[in-house]
Amino acid sequence: MNNKLLSKPALAMLQPPALPGSYKNDGKKIDEIVELCLNEAKMISDNGFDGLIIQNMNDMPIKQFSDHRTVAFMTRIVHEIRVSYPNLLIGVLINWDGVASLAVAEACNADFIRVEHLYTGANVTSAGILQAQCVDIIELRMRLGSKIPIFADVYEVHGVPLGRKSYGSAAWELIHEAFADGIFTSGSNAQESIDIVQEIKQKVPNVPVFLGGGATGDNIGKLMRYYDGVSVATWIKDGDMSNPINPEKARVFIKEIKQVRK
């Protein structure tokens, strides 16, 4: 596993405009989208973040399995960022297809994948019931001889899990039965996020657990005493992912994380 993934990395979410062929695409071609993504990756790098997670959130609504178009366009975007910013950690999150995420990550030499909703168990979402892909992801990893770490969410906040277990039990299953390398999770507020990570670490004490949401400049210093990494989205963009990064908020955020690292 990349050592940077074990040193409390601060990651920014990068969500490209809707890809060509998606419902919300407004006519942008892939070259223009790539340029926008490269500009945002530059902002992420310039503002002191360790890396990014690229997610095609703007392609909603999305089925569980990606089409060829999505895989092709996401591969192009991730490759361009990898070449332009080789020192950034890069995670791949293709909604909602962990198999596609691993294929793209392997093709582009990304650092990890994040699997939301569907690594283990089943979740009810706006697109219906999403079912576990851990078997397919692990089989692909074995066939490719891939060493790319799999980080999977325990109860992503926007889905409703079927047959819900405790956070600790779900985390144990994710690591010991589905062989993920790390975990993303978060609660509805800072204290709940702390309670969740403490429960998880009692069950899987040597596994990196990243905060997947709810981070702000006000709470991140406290939260990072418990979490091993964080991805931040809307707070550094003044509440809207379509905004550019606010440099002052990014400065505050990174300053708090550096304090914890000391």
Side-chain angles (χ1 to χ4, degrees):
M1 186 180 295
N2 189 318
N3 287 335
K4 289 183 179 180
L5 284 171
L6 303 176
S7 58
K8 291 188 180 288
L11 308 170
M13 297 299 297
L14 193 163
Q15 296 173 347
L19 299 174
S22 298
Y23 180 75
K24 291 177 63 181
N25 179 271
D26 60 3
K28 288 185 178 66
K29 301 297 185 181
I30 188 59
D31 286 347
E32 183 179 358
I33 292 171
V34 166
E35 189 64 29
L36 291 169
C37 290
L38 286 172
N39 289 339
E40 185 162 351
K42 184 178 188 302
M43 285 190 285
I44 289 168
S45 178
D46 289 348
N47 281 283
F49 286 90
D50 301 293
L52 57 88
I53 300 174
I54 184 165
Q55 176 188 24
N56 61 322
M57 177 63 79
N58 290 306
D59 287 345
M60 300 283 280
I62 299 173
K63 295 180 180 179
Q64 181 161 4
F65 302 105
S66 298
D67 56 22
H68 302 305
R69 170 190 59 86
T70 300
V71 173
F73 289 140
M74 288 292 284
T75 299
R76 166 80 186 280
I77 294 168
V78 176
H79 172 72
E80 296 274 5
I81 295 173
R82 173 86 289 169
V83 170
S84 298
Y85 298 95
N87 293 324
L88 283 179
L89 282 168
I90 296 179
V92 178
L93 168 52
I94 296 183
N95 291 18
W96 299 112
D97 193 339
V99 177
S101 297
L102 182 60
V104 171
E106 186 69 28
C108 300
N109 195 29
D111 295 289
F112 68 99
I113 64 170
R114 179 179 175 183
V115 184
E116 280 192 293
H117 287 305
L118 49 78
Y119 194 66
T120 56
N123 264 7
V124 179
T125 73
S126 58
I129 298 176
L130 305 183
Q131 297 186 51
Q133 280 190 303
C134 57
V135 173
D136 299 318
I137 295 169
I138 288 296
E139 285 184 352
L140 178 61
R141 188 155 93 162
M142 181 179 65
R143 291 200 306 272
L144 296 177
S146 175
K147 303 297 183 183
I148 291 176
I150 299 167
F151 278 66
D153 279 65
V154 175
Y155 298 146
E156 202 279 337
V157 295
H158 299 296
V160 179
L162 300 177
R164 188 185 186 103
K165 305 175 182 179
S166 69
Y167 278 91
S169 295
W172 189 95
E173 178 183 80
L174 191 148
I175 299 300
H176 292 288
E177 294 184 1
F179 309 115
D181 302 287
I183 291 171
F184 273 87
T185 194
S186 63
S188 59
N189 55 60
Q191 186 55 54
E192 186 177 29
S193 291
I194 291 170
D195 293 341
I196 290 169
V197 70
Q198 288 180 316
E199 179 182 343
I200 288 174
K201 283 185 172 289
Q202 286 181 348
K203 287 285 191 177
V204 287
N206 298 316
V207 175
V209 183
F210 285 19
L211 179 66
T216 71
D218 296 324
N219 65 28
I220 190 59
K222 182 177 181 181
L223 286 164
M224 288 294 276
R225 297 173 196 162
Y226 301 90
Y227 282 86
D228 302 301
V230 60
S231 66
V232 61
T234 56
W235 189 80
I236 58 170
K237 293 189 167 188
D238 297 321
D240 188 338
M241 281 299 293
S242 64
N243 290 333
I245 292 173
N246 181 325
E248 179 58 26
K249 284 190 171 182
R251 185 191 66 78
V252 170
F253 195 86
I254 296 300
K255 181 181 177 182
E256 290 294 320
I257 289 177
K258 287 181 176 179
Q259 286 295 115
V260 175
R261 286 173 179 165
K262 291 180 181 179

